[in-house]
Amino acid sequence: WSEDDTRSPNYKVRYGTSDSPLGKLTIPKNNIVIQRDSVKNIFATGHNSVVQIPGKDEWYLVYHRFTYPKGVDMPNGSGGFHREVCIDTLKFDTDGKIIEVKPTLKGIDPVK
């Protein structure tokens, strides 16, 4: 889920798991999927979806962010109306937990 307001420095994507759609939700201690990277000037990473390449253990996170590089500097928070769709690699640790995605300016290479 996307957490907090898109203009907030605390805006991020978190996750939980369950054994069924109506089951109890388990929320891992470190459950950040993706968050801003102010060093790279990447802000408002959120509203995401996950894609797996059929038949492969290849996973990708598709998300949006403020336009680069000026979205965060737009007046009156209007950067939230100027977004880019991005895709970066999603990985899991040996326990199946999501490893936090570090947003990039490059994205992924073409998928074969």
Side-chain angles (χ1 to χ4, degrees):
W1 65 87
S2 292
E3 180 177 276
D4 213 344
D5 184 271
T6 190
R7 296 162 293 191
S8 167
N10 297 318
Y11 185 64
K12 61 183 69 77
V13 174
R14 293 187 180 271
Y15 78 98
T17 61
S18 180
D19 292 331
S20 72
L22 301 176
K24 181 182 177 194
L25 190 61
T26 301
I27 300 173
K29 183 176 181 178
N30 297 315
N31 69 336
I32 296 174
V33 177
I34 192 168
Q35 62 185 327
R36 71 193 252 159
D37 185 334
S38 55
V39 172
K40 292 180 185 172
N41 206 24
I42 298 173
F43 298 95
T45 53
H47 296 119
N48 66 93
S49 186
V50 173
V51 176
Q52 179 190 17
I53 303 303
K56 296 183 178 184
D57 189 23
E58 291 181 29
W59 299 80
Y60 301 97
L61 184 72
V62 181
Y63 61 96
H64 69 63
R65 66 178 177 223
F66 286 171
T67 60
Y68 176 83
K70 298 187 181 220
V72 73
D73 295 325
M74 293 180 137
N76 303 319
S78 64
F81 298 106
H82 301 274
R83 309 269 179 120
E84 298 175 325
V85 176
C86 307
I87 184 167
D88 281 309
T89 302
L90 177 70
K91 295 185 179 181
F92 301 87
D93 68 15
T94 55
D95 294 326
K97 294 181 179 147
I98 293 173
I99 298 171
E100 182 178 340
V101 175
K102 302 300 182 188
T104 69
L105 297 171
K106 179 182 181 284
I108 63 169
D109 291 330
V111 176
K112 297 180 181 183

